[in-house]
């Protein structure tokens, strides 16, 4: 289940009435850019591929700015409203005829007002009621406990039940490395190409299509996917908490024959 990570801090301002008291703050684990958000949407039951979603989001960004510069507000139902706010220079103009936006305004800021309707689920109390939390310290401990432990250097500790050969096998399994996955697909291609990824048995595959190195938080591979534009696919295999080296393959669309064929 998704959780909101929080941390606890102490007010150390001796002049404040809440001096010495403890308060919470949200810990943000990642900032999703347009590409990562598009990947998440595409992997979240969408019928559209990542490149299509990313194209729509990129176009929406440009159109929102365009409309704001035409003195319009943009309301995304259930999310909120974008609008422009002017920041004036200190002191102001001495008279109305001396006011000039180019010289009197210090800047124009894009602001966002969240939709506070209960039906939108963005009301602060509604969000709090739906949220599940995890303390940042608990998250650190959870990650530390999930790390694989190194086998003992001596290799002679056989106090546990079972034969010595079994102990050796267990130690060997802890030190085993995970093989990098294999990425398959036709390149160069004319319109689309199907990409499949294979890894050793029992390993899960995480991948990216933007050339970035995948992590345990990247898209989970479940079945072959289609590319319609040039892209570099990278993938890792994860097994028993260990990650493989990243495999990489570039798929090139037509005209550019720098790719390779499978």
């Amino acid at each position: 289940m998704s959780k909101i990570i929080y941390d606890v801090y102490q007010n150390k301002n001796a002049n404040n009435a809440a001096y010495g008291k403890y308060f919470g703050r949200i810990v943000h684990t990642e900032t999703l850019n347009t590409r990562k958000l598009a990947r998440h949407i595409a992997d979240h039951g969408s019928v559209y591929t990542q490149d299509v979603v990313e194209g729509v989001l990129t176009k929406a960004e440009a159109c929102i700015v365009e409309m704001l510069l035409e003195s319009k507000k943009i309301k995304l139902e259930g999310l909120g409203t974008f609008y422009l706010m002017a920041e004036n220079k200190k002191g102001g103009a001495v008279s109305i005829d001396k006011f000039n936006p180019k010289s009197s305004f210090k800047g124009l800021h894009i602001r966002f007002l969240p939709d506070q309707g209960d039906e939108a689920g963005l009301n602060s109390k509604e969000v709090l009621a739906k949220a599940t939390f995890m303390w940042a310290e608990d998250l650190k401990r959870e990650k530390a406990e999930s790390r694989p432990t190194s086998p003992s250097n001596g290799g002679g500790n056989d106090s546990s039940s079972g034969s010595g050969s079994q102990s050796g096998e267990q130690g060997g399994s802890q030190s085993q490395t995970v093989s990098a996955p294999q990425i398959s697909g036709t390149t160069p291609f004319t319109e689309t190409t199907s990409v499949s990824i294979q890894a050793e048995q029992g390993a899960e595959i995480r991948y990216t299509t933007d050339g970035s190195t995948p992590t345990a938080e990247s898209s989970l591979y479940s079945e072959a996917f289609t590319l319609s534009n040039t892209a570099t696919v990278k993938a890792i295999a994860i097994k028993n908490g260990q990650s493989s080296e990243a495999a990489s393959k570039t798929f090139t669309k037509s005209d550019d024959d720098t790719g390779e064929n499978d």
Side-chain angles (χ1 to χ4, degrees):
M1 178 182 294
S2 299
K3 293 181 176 65
I4 295 176
I5 310 302
Y6 72 95
D7 199 3
V8 180
Y9 67 97
Q10 185 180 30
N11 185 331
K12 297 183 178 180
N13 183 356
N15 298 319
N16 191 285
Y19 173 69
K21 300 297 179 60
Y22 290 85
F23 300 87
R25 56 189 168 200
I26 303 301
V27 176
H28 297 97
T29 59
E30 183 181 4
T31 298
L32 294 181
N33 58 20
T34 302
R35 184 169 297 166
K36 289 183 177 180
L37 178 60
R39 183 191 309 142
H40 173 79
I41 293 173
D43 292 341
H44 208 265
S46 172
V47 297
Y48 302 104
T49 58
Q50 178 187 336
D51 58 321
V52 173
V53 176
E54 185 177 348
V56 172
L57 289 176
T58 302
K59 188 65 175 178
E61 293 167 4
C63 288
I64 287 174
V65 174
E66 179 185 356
M67 292 295 98
L68 291 176
L69 292 175
E70 291 187 11
S71 207
K72 302 180 188 297
K73 291 183 177 181
I74 306 295
K75 180 173 182 176
L76 303 179
E77 282 80 3
L79 188 61
T81 303
F82 291 92
Y83 62 97
L84 282 181
M85 186 187 77
E87 180 183 3
N88 289 276
K89 290 183 178 179
K90 291 182 179 180
V94 296
S95 62
I96 191 170
D97 59 305
K98 294 294 183 181
F99 182 88
N100 184 307
K102 288 290 187 182
S103 57
S104 298
F105 284 154
K106 184 178 180 180
L108 292 176
H109 302 280
I110 298 177
R111 293 290 185 250
F112 178 74
L113 179 64
D115 191 334
Q116 294 295 314
D118 291 341
E119 66 279 359
L122 293 179
N123 179 286
S124 59
K125 292 183 179 179
E126 289 288 326
V127 173
L128 178 60
K130 295 176 181 178
T132 302
F133 295 94
M134 173 179 277
W135 187 22
E137 293 301 317
D138 289 335
L139 179 62
K140 291 179 183 177
R141 280 193 289 269
E142 185 178 278
K143 288 184 176 180
E145 292 171 357
S146 66
R147 293 194 189 104
T149 56
S150 300
S152 59
N153 293 329
N157 184 0
D158 56 358
S159 59
S160 60
S161 61
S163 66
S165 62
Q166 290 176 328
S167 176
E169 289 172 1
Q170 291 172 356
S173 64
Q174 290 178 347
S175 61
Q176 284 180 351
T177 57
V178 183
S179 300
Q182 294 183 336
I183 305 172
S184 302
T186 300
T187 182
F189 60 95
T190 54
E191 295 183 357
T192 62
T193 186
S194 178
V195 179
S196 60
I197 310 174
Q198 293 181 323
E200 62 183 73
Q201 186 174 6
E204 71 173 25
I205 301 171
R206 298 283 176 168
Y207 73 98
T208 63
T209 57
D210 59 2
S212 62
T213 301
T215 67
E217 303 300 321
S218 299
S219 299
L220 176 64
Y221 176 83
S222 58
E223 59 183 9
F225 56 91
T226 300
L227 293 176
S228 55
N229 290 305
T230 297
T232 297
V233 177
K234 290 188 176 183
I236 58 172
I238 302 176
K239 186 176 182 180
N240 298 328
Q242 296 186 14
S243 297
S244 71
E245 294 293 328
S248 177
K249 186 175 181 64
T250 298
F251 295 88
T252 306
K253 184 173 182 177
S254 65
D255 299 333
D256 188 351
D257 57 3
T258 59
E260 58 188 51
N261 288 310
D262 274 349

